[in-house]
Amino acid sequence: MSAIHQLVPEFVPTPIACGTLTAVPDTHFFLCEFRGMKNEMPDPHQFGALLSAMHERSISPNGKFGFHTTTYAGNLPQYVEWEDSWETFFAKSMRHALDLEIERKGQSQELEDLCHVLFEKVIPRLLRPLESDGRKVKPSLVHGDLWHANSGVDSKTNQPLVFDACCFYAHNEYEFGQWRPACNKFGNEYVTTYNKLSPISPPQEDFEGRLDLYRLKFDTQVSALFIESEPLRRQVIEVMRDLVHRYG
């Protein structure tokens, strides 16, 4: 939250402190300023402008993808080791998320077969062109869990706000993988508005496929978080099956 606040302070409640309880070592706290919020979606133009500013202003401290400290999706650690290549970083991050999901829900033959094609064919097909033929991907600071429930509108200023981040430096379009599931309320108007300020990365024809691939990472993390939910595992398999069919 401090990393975002340094770039776009108006976009987040000001962080104050965090730490671990002395008497209960496995219990932690985070304090930030209180901001009253309306129960409504932020304006697409204001939101897109702030999100674009965050991505564009951010500069990775070493020019690499990752983060200086482990961040968490829920209570599960994310892969944040520094990597020079976005394809390499995403593949390792995806493998890490799948390993956690399989550890908690068990292996299946279909998932194993699909994973083989995902890593051997789909990820290189969709991400390698971003870093080929002279193209490069800028490591941008992403919120990391930007679904609609982690956003709000300030009740006094009407300013869009975000919170509950799990940041790292990534391809900026990674942010929108979380917007693909039907349950999410960030519709196409948010992506369209954003892309007027931060254009789609070339090759543009792979944009939809990349977002579906990024969605898979989020779906996998959610499935790992909710151990008893078999529908979430089926969703992971369905999205992976679709990607394999289109790009594998």
Side-chain angles (χ1 to χ4, degrees):
M1 294 300 291
S2 295
I4 297 177
H5 187 262
Q6 289 172 6
L7 295 169
V8 275
E10 66 272 34
F11 203 22
V12 294
T14 303
I16 297 171
C18 65
T20 298
L21 302 188
T22 303
V24 193
D26 63 346
T27 301
H28 317 282
F29 66 88
F30 168 68
L31 298 176
C32 66
E33 68 169 328
F34 178 81
R35 301 283 287 273
M37 288 185 285
K38 301 177 182 179
N39 185 25
E40 59 185 53
M41 291 293 293
D43 174 76
H45 297 281
Q46 288 182 300
F47 191 84
L50 287 166
L51 187 61
S52 174
M54 184 180 93
H55 291 162
E56 296 293 333
R57 292 174 188 172
S58 60
I59 300 175
S60 170
N62 54 17
K64 298 183 179 184
F65 302 94
F67 206 59
H68 65 278
T69 188
T70 301
T71 55
Y72 288 76
N75 63 352
L76 298 177
Q78 297 192 112
Y79 179 85
V80 292
E81 297 297 322
W82 295 111
E83 302 287 351
D84 293 310
S85 160
W86 170 241
E87 179 190 343
T88 300
F89 179 89
F90 181 83
K92 290 184 177 181
S93 177
M94 188 73 236
R95 181 74 266 175
H96 176 77
L98 280 163
D99 286 346
L100 286 173
E101 203 270 357
I102 291 167
E103 177 185 311
R104 294 162 75 87
K105 283 190 169 171
Q107 183 62 277
S108 79
Q109 188 60 53
E110 182 178 19
L111 184 60
E112 184 176 341
D113 293 342
L114 289 168
C115 281
H116 176 74
V117 184
L118 177 76
F119 288 98
E120 292 295 320
K121 301 287 186 180
V122 177
I123 291 176
R125 163 63 187 84
L126 286 170
L127 300 189
R128 193 163 299 171
L130 289 167
E131 300 173 301
S132 301
D133 300 324
R135 291 186 286 263
K136 293 185 178 181
V137 177
K138 173 188 179 288
S140 297
L141 186 75
V142 295
H143 178 285
D145 190 20
L146 193 54
W147 67 304
H148 67 271
N150 285 343
S151 71
V153 177
D154 188 291
S155 57
K156 293 182 179 179
T157 66
N158 291 320
Q159 182 84 25
L161 295 171
V162 296
F163 46 90
D164 202 16
C166 49
C167 290
F168 55 91
Y169 290 91
H171 181 207
N172 64 306
E173 293 173 0
Y174 172 85
E175 203 87 272
F176 308 129
Q178 184 72 300
W179 298 7
R180 301 299 269 184
C183 62
N184 191 61
K185 296 180 181 179
F186 283 120
N188 289 334
E189 67 274 18
Y190 288 88
V191 180
T192 300
T193 300
Y194 173 92
N195 284 334
K196 289 178 181 177
L197 300 167
S198 297
I200 295 172
S201 299
Q204 288 88 343
E205 60 268 23
D206 289 342
F207 180 65
E208 295 295 326
R210 291 194 298 261
L211 297 200
D212 287 334
L213 177 62
Y214 298 158
R215 172 199 173 159
L216 179 63
K217 166 77 181 313
F218 290 103
D219 286 349
T220 303
Q221 290 177 163
V222 172
S223 181
L225 283 168
F226 297 94
I227 303 174
E228 303 302 321
S229 176
E230 187 56 32
L232 290 174
R233 159 63 71 87
R234 289 199 299 271
Q235 180 171 274
V236 169
I237 290 176
E238 287 170 7
V239 173
M240 199 180 297
R241 188 189 296 135
D242 177 61
L243 285 164
V244 167
H245 174 72
R246 289 156 62 195
Y247 301 104

